[in-house]
Amino acid sequence: MVAHEESFCRAVLPRVSRTFALNIPLLPPPLDLVVTVAYLLTRIADTVEDEIQRPRQEELFAALADLVRLEPGWEARAQAFARLAGDEFLPDAPAAEVELIEGTVCVLKTLASLPPWAQAPLRRCVRIMTHGMSQVQRRHGGGESGLGLPDLQTTLAYCYYVAGVVGEMLTELFIAHAPTLDERTRAQLRSRAIMFGEALQLTNILKDVREDLDQGRCWLPLDRMALHGLEPATLARPELRAQAMALHSELVVIARRALDEALEYTLALPQSEPGLRLFCLYPLFFAVTTLNLVDGNPAVFDTTPLKLSREVVLRLMLLTQERVASDSALRALFAECSRVPSEVEAVR
């Protein structure tokens, strides 16, 4: 039976994430399956946050945190979880997210088949993520007046709950996979694990600011908005575009610093583990190039989403593959991508 559940996990992955469908298969087995399950569990939590009616979110977050413990009777509870979530989807919930929730039992059965060294970090991640999401929704997510987070510290705390903790989980999985890593390398990875995840999340927040606003969400700090004479309801107004861009540029600076730390995290991974490196390099270079796309670009507040072209994505993948074993070449490529506005035609 496990083969069927594993097949579901591998098949649903590209339907719920284009990026992670590109880099997870690069991981060596069994890490590829472990991270597939980890991603799907965190995506279930994301789906509860983004696609489920708010009154039911807290109950579902708590249920998911309990389910990953795999205590006796979990299968029946997982079926009940899927039914309850299925009844509470927003009208425009993506079909792939609905399919994933319906397959919660398959994901959990695959989790149960994983080795013990893999299960503990996944459980911890889901527990912290769901608790944090629930806490943010309870304190700051109620109604129109609840749009936005109070300050930068809260925005970064949210980034930890949804991504920084994933960086911690991945780090423990990498270390377990490669037990020969010396203590210095382990310390380097653990010291930057949170920043790796937060850098990617903050970049996504800055890229998706208009889409989030249109969907009734905003993760930007209210105190910094106020300094520019803005609030969530006025953030996308054309006549206030200069103020909005000034705010956006301040946050881009913070994201760039975090991406610099994410590069150091990635280069701390041994050159003898190209799969681990490429797993991190793909989203890292997508993020730094995306940040250039939105940096100083007023179109980030328009209704048409800004995103990297397929050609740019493929080119970045090829460039990182060619340089994966050379720290100096990767540093040079990162610096070049950080300088080129929006696209990477000048990168050689």
Side-chain angles (χ1 to χ4, degrees):
M1 282 295 289
V2 172
H4 166 73
E5 283 81 25
E6 179 180 329
S7 295
F8 169 83
C9 291
R10 294 190 187 277
V12 78
L13 175 65
R15 294 200 275 275
V16 294
S17 173
R18 287 177 296 177
T19 298
F20 284 92
L22 294 174
N23 67 344
I24 288 178
L26 301 173
L27 293 169
L31 206 53
D32 61 334
L33 180 59
V34 171
V35 177
T36 295
V37 174
Y39 177 80
L40 294 178
L41 288 170
T42 60
R43 190 55 181 258
I44 289 171
D46 285 340
T47 300
V48 170
E49 181 182 58
D50 294 341
E51 308 297 344
I52 298 293
Q53 305 282 353
R54 279 188 178 172
R56 285 292 192 183
Q57 286 181 356
E58 190 164 349
E59 178 182 353
L60 289 168
F61 283 139
L64 182 59
D66 175 71
L67 285 171
V68 296
R69 296 167 59 199
L70 300 175
E71 297 287 343
W74 68 262
E75 289 190 43
R77 292 196 299 276
Q79 291 167 353
F81 170 89
R83 286 194 300 270
L84 176 59
D87 291 338
E88 298 294 332
F89 272 113
L90 297 172
D92 57 350
E97 312 293 327
V98 174
E99 180 185 11
L100 176 58
I101 291 289
E102 290 174 346
T104 298
V105 173
C106 287
V107 178
L108 290 168
K109 283 185 177 180
T110 311
L111 170 64
S113 75
L114 299 178
W117 60 262
Q119 293 188 23
L122 270 64
R123 290 192 184 105
R124 175 185 182 273
C125 178
V126 173
R127 184 178 70 251
I128 293 173
M129 178 179 287
T130 53
H131 173 75
M133 286 177 166
S134 181
Q135 185 179 67
V136 169
Q137 287 290 0
R138 191 184 318 120
R139 293 180 179 177
H140 311 296
E144 183 68 23
S145 63
L147 287 176
L149 297 176
D151 48 39
L152 181 61
Q153 183 178 358
T154 309
T155 295
L156 295 178
Y158 174 75
C159 288
Y160 170 73
Y161 291 137
V162 300
V165 69
V166 175
E168 291 179 321
M169 173 191 66
L170 290 170
T171 299
E172 297 310 312
L173 294 175
F174 293 164
I175 289 172
H177 163 76
T180 57
L181 290 179
D182 59 45
E183 285 302 321
R184 180 172 176 273
T185 300
R186 295 183 185 198
Q188 288 178 325
L189 291 171
R190 285 173 171 145
S191 68
R192 293 187 168 99
I194 293 173
M195 194 64 75
F196 179 83
E198 289 184 358
L200 303 183
Q201 182 64 27
L202 189 53
T203 299
N204 282 336
I205 287 173
L206 294 171
K207 172 179 70 75
D208 297 333
V209 58
R210 177 57 188 266
E211 181 180 348
D212 283 339
L213 285 169
D214 289 345
Q215 294 179 0
R217 299 188 295 263
C218 183
W219 309 114
L220 302 185
L222 292 167
D223 61 343
R224 300 221 172 185
M225 281 189 233
L227 290 175
H228 293 278
L230 298 166
E231 57 187 37
T234 62
L235 195 55
R237 287 185 182 174
E239 68 271 20
L240 297 176
R241 193 56 47 90
Q243 295 94 312
M245 288 308 303
L247 167 70
H248 195 265
S249 295
E250 287 180 7
L251 299 174
V252 165
V253 171
I254 296 169
R256 286 198 184 280
R257 291 182 191 139
L259 287 169
D260 289 342
E261 289 295 309
L263 175 66
E264 297 306 318
Y265 173 91
T266 303
L267 296 184
L269 293 166
Q271 296 176 0
S272 59
E273 293 283 355
L276 271 60
R277 282 192 155 208
L278 287 171
F279 173 84
C280 296
L281 286 168
Y282 281 11
L284 172 59
F285 275 85
F286 297 162
V288 73
T289 310
T290 295
L291 205 58
N292 284 333
L293 181 65
V294 303
D295 189 5
N297 187 349
V300 75
F301 288 101
D302 292 342
T303 55
T304 302
L306 292 174
K307 61 181 180 179
L308 301 182
S309 68
R310 184 173 182 273
E311 292 72 24
V312 169
V313 168
L314 293 175
R315 185 179 177 110
L316 288 169
M317 290 166 61
L318 178 61
L319 290 168
T320 52
Q321 289 168 20
E322 292 172 346
R323 293 157 174 77
V324 65
S326 171
D327 288 3
S328 59
L330 286 169
R331 289 187 188 280
L333 179 62
F334 185 86
E336 191 67 24
C337 286
S338 298
R339 286 196 299 269
V340 178
S342 79
E343 298 288 346
V344 291
E345 287 88 358
V347 177
R348 295 292 183 264

